[in-house]
Amino acid sequence: MPETPGSPLRVAVVGAGPSGFYATDALLKARQDVSVDLIDRLPAPFGLVRYGVAPDHQKMKSVTTLYTRTASDPRVRFLGNVEVGKDLSVDDLRRHYHATVFAYGAPGDRRLGIPGEDLVGSLPATDFVAWYNGHPDYEHIDPPLDGHTAIVIGVGNVAVDVARILAKTADELAGSDIADHALEALRASKVREIVVLGRRSPAEAKFTTKELREFGVLEHADVDVDPADLELHPASRERVAEHSTEERNLEVLRSFAERPARDAHRQVSFRFLYSPRSLEADESGERVGAIVVERNRIEAREDGSLAAVGTGQTERWPAQLVLRSVGYHGSPLPGMPFDERRGIIPNENGRVLDQPGGDRVPGFYTSGWIKRGPSGVIGTNKADALETVQALLEDELLTPEDPSPEAVDELLADRGVYTIDFDSWRRIDRIELALGDEHGRPRVKIVSRSEMLAAAAAEGEATQDF
Ligand code: NAP
């Protein structure tokens, strides 16, 4: 391996979310003489654990204790507030590291491609999630919560997260680390009906049972399931018999269908076998006022898949908020190859390729959602990162011009980039936790970038005008 004699293996990991941390951890465990720069465009680490996991799922966030341990290893530096593609180019990475692992996730949303999709009040669920979790880039999106009915399109775990957050009262959410601006907006919410819409039958839904069950214990919301939706196509029945999650999901949905309504403040309705066909504007001409849906039936395909096929029968339902929860989609990074169709960096077991099925790009690797697409739970990224790191350690790597950490620091300083290291992040963390203590919450998040940077500055340290 052409490493500079006497200097450790220098690796850049782009993205300090779960996959970035697991890749870093795998590198640390595999080699003593390694030095990792964990780079993130935000001043705060932890990616989707901080900005994706629902605020009322605090237990899931405890994994940050392990990530903190990884970041505290003297062989790791956190370079927060540094954007690859803007502050550092891909060529800079080649000049300063033996290898780079791209683990920046899939921050964008998949589009539905239906008329009216861009009306005001129709937004990607991924934006709504980032908004209530206090992501600095989504603080001001202001989702309109002044209407009666919200439709959530899709039946994955993100769909049930956003439906549950809409269904909970502000008091139910107050004990979480939901962003203050979202808590206030949700406190004033006029949404009374939340419809979760699946294009196939409940047997094909992607949500998991634990998440589904949470609708059964909402303090002020009824849950409604049409028993007719639980009459399955024979092929769906077969699938359920073979898969325990689907079987358990059906049991829970059956119990919801049998429950008497309590005439609660809000209602969550699960509706299956409907596809969105268009969104219609209200009288303003700009804001969503209704959704047109088509009734589907299930068709078993030769390849074993179960497809939703339109019956031609449409219905029009009034709706003032539409959250499109049909999956995340990766974005390209300047200077990097990208598979537009799948929304990933083309790769073979984590080794970056110059195009899908193409040649290897030496020294470049990928891990997590930007490697395999947006699927799996947080822990899935651990095995995925291991595979990538194993490939990296087997390969001939780059011979960087200057692999010293100081060279990267100088470059960033010359470009006027204010880097947040892990100690600076800990200062932000301590302030958030202290504010949380004061208010009986796990933490009160600092949302805006400028406030985060000010909080990160050590006492007495001159803060620049951010
Ligand atoms: P997902 O699980 O892939 O679900 C996407 C949903 O959108 C599916 O129901 C899909 O239906 C539907 N869909 C796609 N295209 C559609 C269209 N054109 N019209 C109507 N419906 C359409 O994605 P996700 O919910 O964004 O979750 C991403 C990943 O994060 C998943 O692995 C998820 O488990 C994970 N996650 C986990 C948690 C948790 O553990 N609590 C929380 C959030 C997210 P089809 O099946 O018919 O395509």
Side-chain angles (χ1 to χ4, degrees):
M1 199 178 291
E3 290 157 37
T4 321
S7 83
L9 175 71
R10 287 275 294 148
V11 182
V13 174
V14 180
S19 56
F21 271 100
Y22 290 127
T24 303
D25 188 53
L27 283 161
L28 298 179
K29 287 193 170 125
R31 274 182 69 142
Q32 189 49 46
D33 58 337
V34 66
S35 147
V36 182
D37 281 355
L38 184 51
I39 306 171
D40 204 286
R41 70 185 193 86
L42 293 178
F46 310 140
L48 270 193
V49 175
R50 180 173 165 96
Y51 293 119
V53 170
D56 56 346
H57 283 173
Q58 283 299 308
K59 259 200 195 149
M60 273 167 115
K61 299 195 184 225
S62 60
V63 69
T64 56
T65 312
L66 294 177
Y67 301 163
T68 297
R69 206 173 296 154
T70 301
S72 307
D73 189 296
R75 294 170 291 168
V76 179
R77 305 194 308 170
F78 174 59
L79 303 182
N81 200 37
V82 175
E83 186 167 344
V84 171
K86 190 173 135 234
D87 302 320
L88 280 180
S89 72
V90 160
D91 282 335
D92 292 329
L93 297 174
R94 280 195 181 94
R95 268 192 289 275
H96 296 291
Y97 299 93
H98 297 99
T100 299
V101 179
F102 294 88
Y104 61 87
D109 63 297
R110 284 187 54 227
R111 305 262 313 161
L112 280 172
I114 60 171
E117 189 166 2
D118 294 318
L119 285 167
V120 175
S122 158
L123 58 150
T126 52
D127 288 13
F128 188 66
V129 169
W131 171 75
Y132 63 58
N133 273 324
H135 189 299
D137 297 348
Y138 296 84
E139 183 183 357
H140 300 294
I141 64 166
D142 247 351
L145 300 170
D146 55 344
H148 180 272
T149 303
I151 308 272
V152 179
I153 300 174
V155 281
N157 274 331
V158 171
V160 292
D161 274 353
V162 299
R164 188 181 67 256
I165 296 293
L166 283 171
K168 281 193 169 180
T169 59
D171 287 346
E172 283 175 281
L173 292 168
S176 75
D177 68 351
I178 191 165
D180 280 348
H181 60 250
L183 187 60
E184 284 325 301
L186 288 162
R187 195 184 292 285
S189 167
K190 300 250 176 354
V191 175
R192 295 288 173 266
E193 185 188 24
I194 300 127
V195 181
V196 184
L197 195 70
R199 64 176 165 181
R200 298 190 288 163
S201 83
E204 290 80 50
K206 298 260 178 69
F207 46 62
T208 38
T209 316
K210 184 176 151 286
E211 280 64 27
L212 184 61
R213 279 206 187 102
E214 291 178 57
F215 288 94
V217 293
L218 294 174
E219 279 179 33
H220 298 284
D222 282 332
V223 56
D224 174 55
V225 173
D226 183 350
D229 281 350
L230 305 175
E231 303 293 329
L232 301 181
H233 183 283
S236 297
R237 267 207 301 275
E238 229 172 85
R239 187 194 162 101
V240 170
E242 286 164 12
H243 296 86
S244 54
T245 299
E246 282 78 351
E247 193 174 1
R248 283 196 298 267
N249 282 350
L250 269 155
E251 265 169 38
V252 175
L253 289 168
R254 242 177 248 125
S255 74
F256 289 166
E258 284 162 8
R259 264 173 186 234
R262 293 174 300 169
D263 206 14
H265 181 62
R266 292 197 169 111
Q267 173 163 304
V268 181
S269 303
F270 285 86
R271 293 285 172 264
F272 295 94
L273 289 167
Y274 284 104
S275 276
R277 289 297 173 229
S278 64
L279 302 184
E280 291 180 355
D282 66 3
E283 59 281 358
S284 73
E286 287 171 6
R287 216 187 126 166
V288 67
I291 181 168
V292 176
V293 293
E294 181 178 2
R295 193 71 176 146
N296 293 331
R297 60 181 174 77
I298 289 291
E299 191 174 278
R301 297 265 159 91
E302 269 182 14
D303 63 2
S305 64
L306 301 175
V309 178
T311 61
Q313 180 198 330
T314 57
E315 295 174 29
R316 184 179 174 282
W317 304 340
Q320 299 78 35
L321 175 67
V322 174
L323 297 176
R324 310 183 310 263
S325 185
V326 296
Y328 286 79
H329 195 81
S331 323
L333 204 64
M336 284 298 289
F338 193 65
D339 179 344
E340 198 58 61
R341 191 181 62 81
R342 297 186 58 200
I344 61 168
I345 296 175
N347 71 92
E348 195 174 47
N349 305 330
R351 294 180 171 101
V352 173
L353 305 177
D354 61 358
Q355 57 178 313
D359 294 329
R360 283 188 43 204
V361 179
F364 280 6
Y365 299 83
T366 181
S367 185
W369 277 10
I370 198 63
K371 167 189 177 186
R372 66 174 195 277
S375 66
V377 292
I378 291 168
T380 315
N381 295 300
K382 196 169 180 176
D384 185 283
L386 259 181
E387 179 189 62
T388 296
V389 167
Q390 256 160 22
L392 184 156
L393 294 172
E394 279 167 16
D395 290 351
E396 176 110 347
L397 301 175
L398 301 174
T399 310
E401 264 167 43
D402 187 349
S404 68
E406 297 74 30
V408 177
D409 295 344
E410 274 164 31
L411 192 66
L412 290 168
D414 284 351
R415 291 175 184 170
V417 181
Y418 186 80
T419 309
I420 299 295
D421 62 15
F422 208 69
D423 283 341
S424 309
W425 152 249
R426 279 173 180 273
R427 281 192 281 275
I428 302 177
D429 189 39
R430 276 197 295 273
I431 293 173
E432 290 189 345
L433 291 172
L435 282 170
D437 244 9
E438 239 174 72
H439 294 90
R441 303 176 56 189
R443 75 171 58 234
V444 172
K445 278 184 181 171
I446 300 174
V447 176
S448 81
R449 235 171 233 273
S450 54
E451 282 176 36
M452 262 196 273
L453 297 185
E459 222 171 291
E461 185 187 341
T463 53
Q464 57 189 80
D465 194 7
F466 298 116

